[in-house]
Amino acid sequence: MVEILIASNESALTESVLREYSGQEFSQEMLSRYTDPKNICVIAVENGRAVGLAGCRSGSNRNFLVDNAFTLDDAPEGTFEAMIKSLMALAQNSGSDAVDIHAPDPTGGNINRCYRMGFEDSGPCTCCQRSDLMHMRFRF
């Protein structure tokens, strides 16, 4: 069973999942971004091992912006959804109007998961114009 934890409270687990996912691209700057308490980031943990991360920062207009969300290849089914639902609950409890996801989705699987959770396509992002990102929005 996957447990969802706040990344800022679990820096060692957060570092381990970032290291495994990012490999050679891992940096301490990357870690501090996800463990900074002002950014709301969650990690998925199974049997004491981190298997996913979803990073969220507060956006304008009371929106939450998820700018990175991934699971490791061997993460249990439903891990991505559990992380996003956790962020959605945190956003709604803080009075946010919406959750936006602008995150890489190399296989296209996460975009389909978001559709099933009620997200809608929000169109290309005007700030980055990257074609490898999914752009999804859920309004409360």
Side-chain angles (χ1 to χ4, degrees):
M1 181 169 148
V2 172
E3 183 180 9
I4 305 300
L5 304 174
I6 302 295
S8 62
N9 297 337
E10 304 291 339
S11 59
L13 285 169
T14 302
E15 180 176 359
S16 72
V17 74
L18 284 168
R19 223 177 256 292
E20 191 167 343
Y21 182 74
S22 302
Q24 296 176 6
E25 298 175 25
F26 175 80
S27 70
Q28 287 300 318
E29 180 182 320
M30 185 185 299
L31 175 62
S32 64
R33 182 182 171 291
Y34 292 107
T35 56
D36 185 335
K38 72 180 174 203
N39 294 326
I40 298 170
C41 303
V42 295
I43 55 173
V45 178
E46 181 190 43
N47 298 324
R49 178 177 168 249
V51 294
L53 176 141
C56 189
R57 54 192 159 120
S58 295
S60 60
N61 301 322
R62 298 174 18 162
N63 289 357
F64 270 40
L65 174 62
V66 179
D67 60 1
N68 199 0
F70 65 85
T71 57
L72 300 180
D73 292 339
D74 60 347
E77 190 165 328
T79 299
F80 179 85
E81 293 91 332
M83 291 188 306
I84 298 303
K85 286 177 182 177
S86 177
L87 287 175
M88 290 170 69
L90 290 167
Q92 190 171 28
N93 288 337
S94 74
S96 290
D97 298 329
V99 172
D100 288 303
I101 300 178
H102 293 196
D105 186 23
T107 65
N110 289 339
I111 198 168
N112 293 328
R113 291 176 182 96
C114 288
Y115 280 129
R116 287 192 297 270
M117 287 188 284
F119 281 80
E120 298 177 348
D121 188 354
S122 61
C125 178
T126 58
C127 65
C128 60
Q129 298 296 316
R130 288 180 50 186
S131 61
D132 64 337
L133 298 179
M134 63 176 172
H135 299 92
M136 307 295 292
R137 171 171 281 168
F138 184 93
R139 292 186 189 276
F140 298 109

